mmCIF file of all heavy atoms in Angstrom:
data_model
loop_
_atom_site.group_PDB
_atom_site.id
_atom_site.type_symbol
_atom_site.label_atom_id
_atom_site.label_comp_id
_atom_site.label_asym_id
_atom_site.label_seq_id
_atom_site.Cartn_x
_atom_site.Cartn_y
_atom_site.Cartn_z
ATOM 1 N N ASN A 85 7.685 0.880 20.749
ATOM 2 C CA ASN A 85 7.201 2.261 20.842
ATOM 3 C C ASN A 85 8.080 3.151 19.970
ATOM 4 O O ASN A 85 7.596 3.788 19.028
ATOM 5 C CB ASN A 85 7.234 2.688 22.307
ATOM 6 C CG ASN A 85 6.691 4.082 22.536
ATOM 7 O OD1 ASN A 85 5.675 4.452 21.951
ATOM 8 N ND2 ASN A 85 7.361 4.850 23.361
ATOM 9 N N ASP A 86 9.395 3.155 20.269
ATOM 10 C CA ASP A 86 10.348 3.897 19.440
ATOM 11 C C ASP A 86 11.756 3.323 19.565
ATOM 12 O O ASP A 86 12.695 4.051 19.897
ATOM 13 C CB ASP A 86 10.354 5.390 19.821
ATOM 14 C CG ASP A 86 9.259 6.181 19.094
ATOM 15 O OD1 ASP A 86 9.112 6.007 17.870
ATOM 16 O OD2 ASP A 86 8.549 6.938 19.769
ATOM 17 N N ALA A 87 11.892 2.027 19.337
ATOM 18 C CA ALA A 87 13.209 1.363 19.330
ATOM 19 C C ALA A 87 13.956 1.450 20.671
ATOM 20 O O ALA A 87 15.189 1.478 20.685
ATOM 21 C CB ALA A 87 14.073 1.899 18.186
ATOM 22 N N GLU A 88 13.193 1.467 21.786
ATOM 23 C CA GLU A 88 13.851 1.472 23.095
ATOM 24 C C GLU A 88 14.388 0.071 23.380
ATOM 25 O O GLU A 88 13.690 -0.920 23.134
ATOM 26 C CB GLU A 88 12.862 1.862 24.208
ATOM 27 C CG GLU A 88 12.230 3.225 24.052
ATOM 28 C CD GLU A 88 11.003 3.240 23.135
ATOM 29 O OE1 GLU A 88 10.677 2.194 22.539
ATOM 30 O OE2 GLU A 88 10.385 4.304 23.013
ATOM 31 N N PRO A 89 15.612 -0.008 23.950
ATOM 32 C CA PRO A 89 16.200 -1.333 24.183
ATOM 33 C C PRO A 89 15.337 -2.231 25.072
ATOM 34 O O PRO A 89 15.226 -3.432 24.827
ATOM 35 C CB PRO A 89 17.550 -1.031 24.833
ATOM 36 C CG PRO A 89 17.552 0.425 25.154
ATOM 37 C CD PRO A 89 16.525 1.081 24.304
ATOM 38 N N TRP A 90 14.683 -1.655 26.099
ATOM 39 C CA TRP A 90 13.875 -2.495 27.008
ATOM 40 C C TRP A 90 12.657 -3.084 26.282
ATOM 41 O O TRP A 90 12.249 -4.201 26.572
ATOM 42 C CB TRP A 90 13.442 -1.695 28.256
ATOM 43 C CG TRP A 90 12.863 -0.338 27.961
ATOM 44 C CD1 TRP A 90 11.562 -0.047 27.708
ATOM 45 C CD2 TRP A 90 13.575 0.903 27.863
ATOM 46 N NE1 TRP A 90 11.402 1.294 27.468
ATOM 47 C CE2 TRP A 90 12.608 1.911 27.562
ATOM 48 C CE3 TRP A 90 14.916 1.267 28.015
ATOM 49 C CZ2 TRP A 90 12.962 3.255 27.397
ATOM 50 C CZ3 TRP A 90 15.243 2.613 27.847
ATOM 51 C CH2 TRP A 90 14.281 3.585 27.538
ATOM 52 N N ASN A 91 12.121 -2.332 25.336
ATOM 53 C CA ASN A 91 10.964 -2.854 24.589
ATOM 54 C C ASN A 91 11.383 -3.945 23.599
ATOM 55 O O ASN A 91 10.643 -4.900 23.366
ATOM 56 C CB ASN A 91 10.238 -1.711 23.880
ATOM 57 C CG ASN A 91 9.566 -0.777 24.873
ATOM 58 O OD1 ASN A 91 9.102 -1.229 25.934
ATOM 59 N ND2 ASN A 91 9.522 0.503 24.574
ATOM 60 N N ILE A 92 12.572 -3.780 23.033
ATOM 61 C CA ILE A 92 13.090 -4.810 22.124
ATOM 62 C C ILE A 92 13.321 -6.107 22.907
ATOM 63 O O ILE A 92 12.955 -7.193 22.463
ATOM 64 C CB ILE A 92 14.389 -4.330 21.441
ATOM 65 C CG1 ILE A 92 14.061 -3.147 20.525
ATOM 66 C CG2 ILE A 92 15.045 -5.453 20.636
ATOM 67 C CD1 ILE A 92 15.247 -2.317 20.130
ATOM 68 N N ASP A 93 13.895 -5.970 24.110
ATOM 69 C CA ASP A 93 14.132 -7.161 24.945
ATOM 70 C C ASP A 93 12.832 -7.912 25.226
ATOM 71 O O ASP A 93 12.776 -9.137 25.137
ATOM 72 C CB ASP A 93 14.757 -6.756 26.294
ATOM 73 C CG ASP A 93 16.217 -6.323 26.154
ATOM 74 O OD1 ASP A 93 16.788 -6.497 25.061
ATOM 75 O OD2 ASP A 93 16.778 -5.810 27.141
ATOM 76 N N VAL A 94 11.784 -7.150 25.570
ATOM 77 C CA VAL A 94 10.511 -7.791 25.922
ATOM 78 C C VAL A 94 9.882 -8.456 24.693
ATOM 79 O O VAL A 94 9.412 -9.592 24.761
ATOM 80 C CB VAL A 94 9.535 -6.765 26.563
ATOM 81 C CG1 VAL A 94 8.125 -7.342 26.685
ATOM 82 C CG2 VAL A 94 10.045 -6.366 27.933
ATOM 83 N N LEU A 95 9.907 -7.759 23.573
ATOM 84 C CA LEU A 95 9.313 -8.360 22.370
ATOM 85 C C LEU A 95 10.062 -9.623 21.971
ATOM 86 O O LEU A 95 9.453 -10.634 21.613
ATOM 87 C CB LEU A 95 9.297 -7.365 21.206
ATOM 88 C CG LEU A 95 8.655 -7.952 19.941
ATOM 89 C CD1 LEU A 95 7.188 -8.287 20.153
ATOM 90 C CD2 LEU A 95 8.803 -7.026 18.758
ATOM 91 N N ARG A 96 11.366 -9.571 22.036
ATOM 92 C CA ARG A 96 12.165 -10.745 21.670
ATOM 93 C C ARG A 96 11.775 -11.931 22.578
ATOM 94 O O ARG A 96 11.603 -13.056 22.114
ATOM 95 C CB ARG A 96 13.648 -10.386 21.787
ATOM 96 C CG ARG A 96 14.645 -11.499 21.614
ATOM 97 C CD ARG A 96 14.796 -11.983 20.190
ATOM 98 N NE ARG A 96 15.366 -13.312 20.224
ATOM 99 C CZ ARG A 96 16.550 -13.651 19.730
ATOM 100 N NH1 ARG A 96 17.269 -12.762 19.097
ATOM 101 N NH2 ARG A 96 16.982 -14.881 19.832
#
Side-chain angles (χ1 to χ4, degrees):
N85 183 42
D86 275 314
E88 300 84 356
W90 48 88
N91 292 327
I92 294 162
D93 288 351
V94 169
L95 181 63
R96 173 73 201 244

